[in-house]
Amino acid sequence: MSLNRKYIPIVVTILLFIVMFTAGSFRYTGFFSLQVLMNLLIDNAFLLITAVGMSFVILSGGIDLSVGSVIALSTMVSAGLVQQQGWPPAVVIPLVLLMGAVFGTLMGAMIHYFAIQPFIVTLAGMFLARGLCYVISIDTITIDHSFYTAMAQTRIPLPGGSFLSISAVIALLAVAAAIFTAHYTRFGRNVYALGGNEQSSLLMGLPVARTKVLVYTLSGFCSALAGVVFTFYMLSGYGLHAVGFELDTIAAVVIGGTLLTGGVGYVLGTFFGVLIQGVIQTIISFEGTLSSWWTKIVIGLLLFIFILLQRVLSSRRLTVKE
Amino acid sequence: MSPFMKHHLFWPLCVLAALLLFNLCYSPDFFSITIHDGHLYGSLIDILNFGAPLILVAIGMTLVVATKGIDLSVGSIVAISGAIACLRISSGADQNSMGLILGSVLLAVLLSLVLGAWNGLLVSGAGIQPIIATLILMVAGRGIAQLITGGQIITVTSSNYAYIGSGSLAALPFSIFVVALVLMIALLLTRRTALGLFIESVGCNPAASSMSGIRAHWVILSVYVFCGVCAGIAGLLLSSNVSSADGNNAGLWYELDAILAVVIGGTSLNGGRFYLTGTVIGALIIQTLTTTIYMIGVPPEITLVVKAFVVLAVCLIQSDAFRAAIAARWKSRHYPAEKEMGRHVS
């Protein structure tokens, strides 16, 4: 059986996840259960949603450093409006989502129309969003609105005695929607084309400007949605929420097999990239004696392996062509 | 525009002058420098002293950016180098012994050299995109720094080590001399030898420079090593200034500030051109901005908002597309197709 070369990174990612999960199951009692698997989704729901948005940005050949700050800003705005102003959540949540989308659109427009590097623009966006959090308040705002606590505590029972949270369901829906968008819509194909070669897509008559701006809009929207989910998870708004989160997100996308130069990769890979990060954390918490910084070192190591793997694969592809 | 205005230092200097002028209006004794016990004190000296680590990191970053690269790992290297030096000193019997301190400093610099070489090998040897290659060390490096310090803050009680970051030589902070030395070395190497030209040519087109006989791989490797060493020295300054090493927070966001300083200084992220003096001014602008914000009593939390707007303003001024868009307002003729193409081809 010959495997299409373009599927190798994603297959490696999935295999790695299975191997790590199996290894954990043999090593620790109580690891091999459906609930541990479900907990991966519950604890990483916001990472999953952000990573989905980030996948599109990276597929289009850009990068978005503002995601962590936008999450923090979303939690802060939600907490501020619900808790201090007494607005109903039904108004606040759409407003927060809209805010994230507009934030992304503005960054995208600046990247495209003024031809400034995405790295710098989203860096400024990161500073701005993080700073705006502190303008609202420098302290944690705890949320005790009944809607938010209900969202945090509701358990959706699954067969086999396990359960999922509402956040995890939202995350799964986001992944499904993203897979559909990436592979079965015109927008998705435009994103891949744009990531492959911007000049060619322009000459082909694809709507480069619209696609590029939309990609950042989507990422902003996903970050805001992740922020809403994060509020369900933490039940508070705080300016220091999700610091350094953009790196976790980028790492998840890369471990998922997406090429950072753009144009190559799958949303499904990102899904498993997030799960792998979750498994590492679960293993470290099961181990008990390992400290949290080993997570960073292992993720760094995995990043290295995956980048090297991609490098080898893509260089081999080039030699075949020649 | 006059040739004076076209000089690459014109806009950065304007911004710096405007900031200083604002400070002068706000508090008239901003420029006053007093002498206490043979040391100079004053806001300007503070800016130079506290800005020293940033200037160092930014100098290294400039050369990396000149080769069309980027080094995200400098913040982690800052943390690692401070951590290893403090760890070694704190485990010594006599923390003030000169041999121990020199040994620790050397060890920290050597380690940062190795880390820089690792980045350089990934970029030049394995041919990985710089932003990704250095992302690895950025993520893992923070973990390594925490591993060295054991997640704690290591404090040292060594007045000799503290001298590096907070002592003064000839009435000026010692750190300024360190920065001056590194800047001199960098300037001499890049402007008095052909190395600067090599770096710029590799930044423009690595393949073409290889064909014309430049060892592009070595040039790229050496700029990352240099950047790593600069970050390592900055880590020593930073940790000795507070006599402690913090694996979590030391050098956090330094990579972003350094890149910002480089961009403000007029070096394009597209490589091929670099201005070391511009970078120094860029770093000074950032430090002055921080000082100003503290001084005028804006809550420090809002620093980030101000910073964001400064970044955007600087980038917009430097963006050709933006200037063209502004200029087009006064022109009557439009070539939409040409404009659209130019945006992508350039």
Side-chain angles (χ1 to χ4, degrees), chain A residues 11-320:
Chain A
V11 169
V12 170
T13 309
I14 296 174
L15 280 180
L16 186 71
F17 171 70
I18 295 172
V19 166
M20 288 176 92
F21 195 78
T22 323
S25 312
F26 277 113
R27 200 168 147 79
Y28 313 105
T29 47
F31 194 94
F32 185 73
S33 72
L34 196 57
Q35 192 52 52
V36 171
L37 207 56
M38 291 302 130
N39 281 344
L40 288 182
L41 288 177
I42 294 170
D43 293 336
N44 293 299
F46 51 96
L47 179 59
L48 199 51
I49 298 173
T50 325
V52 159
M54 183 70 91
S55 302
F56 280 94
V57 175
I58 291 181
L59 279 177
S60 79
I63 200 145
D64 188 352
L65 296 179
S66 70
V67 289
S69 310
V70 173
I71 291 179
L73 185 60
S74 313
T75 66
M76 211 63 197
V77 170
S78 312
L81 288 181
V82 170
Q83 206 63 32
Q84 294 178 339
Q85 311 291 328
W87 289 27
V91 179
V92 172
I93 291 177
L95 193 72
V96 165
L97 294 181
L98 184 71
M99 179 200 74
V102 169
F103 197 83
T105 312
L106 288 179
M107 288 195 301
M110 206 167 259
I111 290 166
H112 182 74
Y113 291 108
F114 296 139
I116 310 177
Q117 294 201 339
F119 185 85
I120 296 291
V121 174
T122 54
L123 179 67
M126 170 177 146
F127 286 152
L128 183 63
R130 192 67 76 183
L132 287 177
C133 293
Y134 293 119
V135 174
I136 297 175
S137 166
I138 53 171
D139 300 314
T140 316
I141 306 177
T142 317
I143 302 176
D144 52 12
H145 192 278
S146 57
F147 176 75
Y148 280 87
T149 46
M151 290 301 267
Q153 284 158 1
T154 306
R155 291 177 169 192
I156 301 168
L158 290 179
S162 58
F163 63 89
L164 268 181
S165 68
I166 293 180
S167 308
V169 174
I170 296 177
L172 286 177
L173 286 179
V175 171
I179 291 177
F180 177 77
T181 314
H183 303 299
Y184 300 101
T185 65
R186 203 173 286 174
F187 170 72
R189 274 192 288 275
N190 289 347
V191 170
Y192 275 96
L194 182 61
N197 192 328
E198 182 173 337
Q199 234 164 301
S200 307
S201 12
L202 189 78
L203 294 175
M204 279 164 67
L206 297 179
V208 168
R210 197 175 68 205
T211 312
K212 216 177 194 176
V213 175
L214 263 182
V215 159
Y216 288 93
T217 309
L218 185 69
S219 174
F221 175 82
C222 283
S223 310
L225 184 63
V228 170
V229 168
F230 200 69
T231 351
F232 296 155
Y233 191 71
M234 304 293 279
L235 286 179
S236 68
Y238 187 33
L240 278 178
H241 273 330
V243 168
F245 196 67
E246 47 284 333
L247 293 175
D248 290 342
T249 319
I250 296 172
V253 175
V254 172
I255 293 176
T258 302
L259 219 55
L260 269 141
T261 37
V264 181
Y266 300 94
V267 178
L268 190 67
T270 303
F271 176 71
F272 281 99
V274 170
L275 287 190
I276 286 179
Q277 288 206 5
V279 168
I280 296 173
Q281 270 154 14
T282 314
I283 288 180
I284 284 173
S285 69
F286 265 80
E287 185 70 42
T289 56
L290 282 179
S291 314
S292 65
W293 44 84
W294 281 104
T295 320
K296 286 182 189 157
I297 298 180
V298 172
I299 289 177
L301 215 66
L302 278 183
L303 267 178
F304 172 63
I305 294 169
F306 269 84
I307 290 163
L308 221 55
L309 176 81
Q310 290 182 347
R311 184 70 209 159
V312 170
L313 289 177
S314 57
S315 65
R316 208 178 277 160
R317 196 180 304 157
L318 282 181
T319 45
V320 166

